[in-house]
Amino acid sequence: MDAYMGIDVGSVSTNIALIDDDNKVIETLYIRTKGRPIEAIQNALQTVGKKIDPSIVVKGVGTTGSARTLSQAIVGADVAKTEITAHAVAASHYHPNVRTILEIGGQDSKVIIMEDGVVTDFAMNTVCAAGTGSFLDHQAARLELKIEDFGDIALQAKARLNIAGRCTVFAESDMIHKQQTGHSKAEILRGLCDALVRNFINNICKGKRLDPPIIFQGGVAANKGIKVAFEDALGCEVEIPKHYNVMGAIGAAILAREHMEQQGGKTEFRGFEVTNFDYETKSFECEDCSNMCEVIKVLMNGELIARWGGRCGKWEITG
Amino acid sequence: MTYKIGFPRMGETYIGFAKLVELFGYDLALPDALSKKTIRLGVQHSPEYACWPFKISLGSTIEALEAGAEVIGTLGGSGPCRAGWYGELQRLILVEDLGFDIPHFYPMYHLNDVFKIAELGGTKSRYRALKCVKYAWDTMRTAEYFEKIAIKQRCREVNIGETTKVQNEVMKMLTETYEPAKLKQAKKKGTAMFESIETDKKMKPLKVGTVGEIFVVIDPFANLEIEKKLGNLGIEVDRSLYLTDWIWRELVMDYHPVTGYFAKKYLHDNAHGYLHEPVGGDALEGIAWINLYKEKGYDGVIEIGPFTCIPEIVTKSIIPTMSRDLDMPVQTYNIDEHTGEAGFITRLEAFGDLLSQRRDGVPLPTRDPVTGRFSSADFGAVEGKA
């Protein structure tokens, strides 16, 4: 059977999705990146390689996420596209009428506005990571809860509490203040969900029209408290797709399929054996001018396969 | 005696300014090209809330002083944007906080400031000074003309990186030219050099215009080389603002209300319905140019502004309405020291995909915006070049 693979390497999680010719999902995988993207890719590929039917032939590979260039070099991908394009492609495939996509991941959050299956506008958080998965993780850890239980506890709250959500530093001191004056954990968590959503709508959506149908995806979509807070704020239902946490990978797989069908030819994929290769990245500071660019080299079994990071382009290939 | 003069750098405009002061009779203390060091110096000595152009120009001025400058010419302003006072504030920081001895510090508000600098350099005759100004002006125009070609043509080049190489060569040629006749030759030669670059003539690239605050629109270092990155993605770029156009309109024509009215009429006409008064900085220009780019058939517009720049915030708040009315995608980038390049590139690529999907129904081909490389197949080519 033919299959196409999408790999989404983000700051917090590394996801893989395999789809067939009809974009039906064959296999998905969600693991934590833990700050070591190369190892995460290798582990993920190994797991998937073992799990799938040996008759499956990978015909094309797409990468996405903040480490898309690195993962493209390592696995030999045919396309590398941004998370925004990948998320939009995946969402519009499963929900052709979708108008608004909310996506909250580990380090960034985005809103994508669609019309007739085409992206017409998007925005992404820039200087500040307030209201992303990492902050929720951090708060859950501070309160000694499992992040999985966060949403359920928040929904038990009886009263609404106002938490300052503009900046995580302020949010945290506000939460501590509320906790010291005797508010329950549930109320504080619910307040945090509301604050995060308020911040998202004010700071990222900034005047964009959020029309239904609305889809909410990314790792944070698992948090029921945030979903309910979005529904309250937007006054309409917010849908969460079945594969909400690997939508980026699914999108990358669809893009890879479209690319291969258009271009024809053979995939660049190095095969699941890449897990046996020895990858190493080295970086050095170029001292030839005052820019002092940090150049990165990727070595596969001791052999240089990629190099980037310079401003002037001399460390890269020029053709 | 001959004084040494320095000034902060902004994009390729330094070529013209360097010509001007050299012809006036100064020795040049040119700061190095903007770099991480410039940022470090600028950020260290600036108020935290000052904008990106302030920090960069302060850093660059310090580098000029380190290179031995005794005379400093720097930015002044005309609009109600706070940049009008940047020269004064920088003088306070440099002299009172950092203890530099700068007897001659000239923020440029007016043509008279140019004459003062000319006189100090030994060019007493106003006629001669104006001749120098004319030559420097032509040099600056030529540099801008080359930049215009480069950002338009980069997306079509067959051998990736060739446009940048030619651009560096022609700019070097301009810095070495001192006579009007030679300048004309240089312009001809440079044009021929750009024409000799092998390009894909059949390609119909997407077209994007840039609007926004002048410093970050013009300076490739300050805007993270947005024009080059767009070109590498296969997108043709046009810049709405060039320094000579701005000087002509805001400092020369605006000298008299009547000429000023006619020079700015096209801006007011095009911004009509959205912004009726100049609100400082380059907000009116930005709004007008979004409309102009729509008329010229561009696919999208990118607004670039420094973080905390009020005029750009005004522009940004008008954009959603304009974008809807004109059916024109517009992206805003607020640039600051903290702008991570990864997020910036992600948004640029996604914007390119958006435009491509709107026009052709498919995303752009996968290319690395920093290097212009096409796919992982290209990565193999670096083997052995460690």
Side-chain angles (χ1 to χ4, degrees), chain B residues 12 15 143 146-147 167-175:
Chain B
E12 307 281 14
I15 300 173
F146 287 144
E147 279 187 284
Q167 189 182 350
N168 292 342
E169 279 167 32
V170 296
M171 293 302 174
K172 191 157 170 273
M173 194 163 74
L174 286 186
T175 53

Side-chain angles (χ1 to χ4, degrees), chain A residues 57-75:
Chain A
V57 184
V58 177
K59 289 282 188 182
V61 177
T63 61
T64 184
S66 40
R68 60 185 176 278
T69 316
L70 181 69
S71 31
Q72 187 188 24
I74 285 174
V75 301

Side-chain angles (χ1 to χ4, degrees), chain B residues 108-126:
Chain B
M108 299 292 176
Y109 296 110
H110 202 263
L111 194 62
N112 277 340
D113 297 308
V114 179
F115 288 134
K116 271 188 230 158
I117 290 186
E119 212 165 299
L120 186 71
T123 307
K124 299 260 180 334
S125 142
R126 294 221 160 171

Side-chain angles (χ1 to χ4, degrees), chain A residues 61 69 71-80 259 266-270 304-307 317 319, chain B residues 160 366-368 372-383:
Chain A
V61 177
T69 316
S71 31
Q72 187 188 24
I74 285 174
V75 301
D78 305 294
V79 284
H259 175 81
K266 251 186 94 208
T267 175
E268 310 271 342
F269 185 42
R270 295 185 213 273
L304 187 70
I305 58 163
R307 185 171 52 202
I317 16 158
Chain B
I160 296 159
T366 304
R367 287 181 76 172
D368 177 11
R373 279 179 308 208
F374 268 93
S375 71
S376 60
D378 288 359
F379 283 111
V382 286
E383 277 169 37

Side-chain angles (χ1 to χ4, degrees), chain B residues 12 16 21 35 39 59 115 125 131 138 148-149 160 192-193 217 254 262 277 289 295 340 378:
Chain B
E12 307 281 14
V21 292
S35 69
I39 300 179
F115 288 134
S125 142
K131 266 186 93 172
D138 289 343
K148 231 176 262 185
I149 300 180
I160 296 159
M193 280 163 80
V217 167
D254 207 36
F262 285 107
E277 288 296 326
W289 272 94
E295 268 172 31
D378 288 359

